[in-house]
Amino acid sequence: MAAVRLGFGGPVGSGKTRLVERLLPLFSEESISVAVITNDLVTDEDAERVKRSGLIDPERVLGVESGACPHTAIREDPSVNLEAAERLERRFQPDVILIESGGDNLAATFSSELVDWWAFVIDVSGGDDIPRKRGLGVLRADLLVVNKIDLAPHVDADLERITGDVSLARPDRASLFTDLRSGLGVKAVFEEIKRSALFGKLTG
Amino acid sequence: MTNCTFDTHASSVLAMMQLSDSALPIGRHAHAFGLERLFRDGRVETPQDLQSMIMSALTHGVARADGAAAALAHDALGAGLLSGLLEIDARLDLLKLTASSQAASRRCGSRLATLAPAFHANSTLVKFVQEVSDKKTPGHVSVVSGAVAAAMGISREDTVLMELRGVVTMILSAAVRLDVIPASAAQEMLVVLAPEIIGSAGISLGTGIGEMECGAAAGLEIASMRHAGDHSRLFAT
């Protein structure tokens, strides 16, 4: 059976790798078999970080070079990611593959050819006007994660305004607020994945 | 030009445009043909360096290898010879000197092979791409491309031009992303390189399977090998 493929996109430094790291133990607790693909812009740093985390068999983590085209590798031409996913499926038969995009712009989206469901991760320190700008990532993602809410008072980000803008931009789609450094909100993200991507099929 | 002639011509031109379009999703964007390592070593810093590198890649690298393979695959498909396609694919596999260039060519080829049945239902082509899918043959991109092009009515000569131009545009595209050259200058260079593409195509078209050769551009092969060991890189090759 093909794995359920979950995409994680968003700007550089928004917390995509941290979210993947936070989700891995939750998948493990529910005996959901996972593999990970990271798309690094310049290095295989993210792949190495996940491998070293001790949260997953390092063999189940693949780093993909996207030729300086992070959005191309997840949208227009996802060949390199499709090939990596097929390789992981052949070798490990995972239930779920987490595909982390390289840091990208606000218009980045995942091809439905590559993933079954995807989340867009932004953070309040990147500017509290991001939801108001209504980039495609914010509008189209199955789940919007607004991360680093603990930093809001330190960067003059108005959390109330962000919440209002998110509601207006995504009236019918899920959005969650997190502080992934402390783990705040990660359980809600996992529950949303189970509800809207896995449909409860893989959970005990 | 009669309607019938125009339709035939138009059909093959449209097919060639599709196969050579950068929108064809076969993963070409992830490769730089060794340029990234040459750039970091300071060996390709100017447009002149880049032009020399591309000329070397064409004449000494792909003309008697991938270019010839495309022409021979075109012949084999035209003759309905699955065995011929497999032989050319195996031969080219032996001529790829570095593991990364071999893997890159196989990966792009296997992606093109998955698209091929939607492009044409030629029975030899369908059998060949099935062999690629089953991992019974490497499925190098130039061999798959030559076979697909023949099935879609693209001439042997145009198939080879398309293959060699594809190598040039892949390197130029990577050069733009590496900031070696601006995009507009890359287009000017593509025009300047036309005689080199045509000259290399002449070599490819006249190369028999027994005359196919591995890349004689040692600098590119070494750069490719060194690049494979780099911790920090933008491109897969």
Side-chain angles (χ1 to χ4, degrees), chain B residues 53-135:
Chain B
M53 179 254 177
I54 294 173
M55 287 165 62
S56 180
L58 271 178
T59 311
H60 305 298
V62 298
R64 288 185 176 81
D66 303 83
L72 294 165
H74 191 284
D75 295 341
L77 194 289
L81 286 175
L82 175 63
S83 60
L85 290 169
L86 298 175
E87 184 184 2
I88 297 156
D89 205 20
R91 172 82 179 169
L92 186 60
D93 201 50
L94 295 172
L95 297 177
K96 295 284 179 188
L97 291 184
T98 64
S100 56
S101 66
Q102 190 184 59
S105 177
R106 287 178 176 193
R107 282 177 187 165
C108 291
S110 69
R111 297 318 306 181
L112 181 56
T114 62
L115 298 172
F119 292 169
H120 205 282
N122 178 289
S123 61
T124 306
L125 177 65
V126 170
K127 287 177 194 164
F128 178 60
V129 298
Q130 187 60 50
E131 295 276 313
V132 176
S133 173
D134 294 343
K135 309 286 182 198

Side-chain angles (χ1 to χ4, degrees), chain B residues 145-161:
Chain B
S145 179
V148 173
M152 295 180 82
I154 301 170
S155 74
R156 187 174 192 263
E157 291 78 8
D158 288 347
T159 297
V160 171
L161 283 172

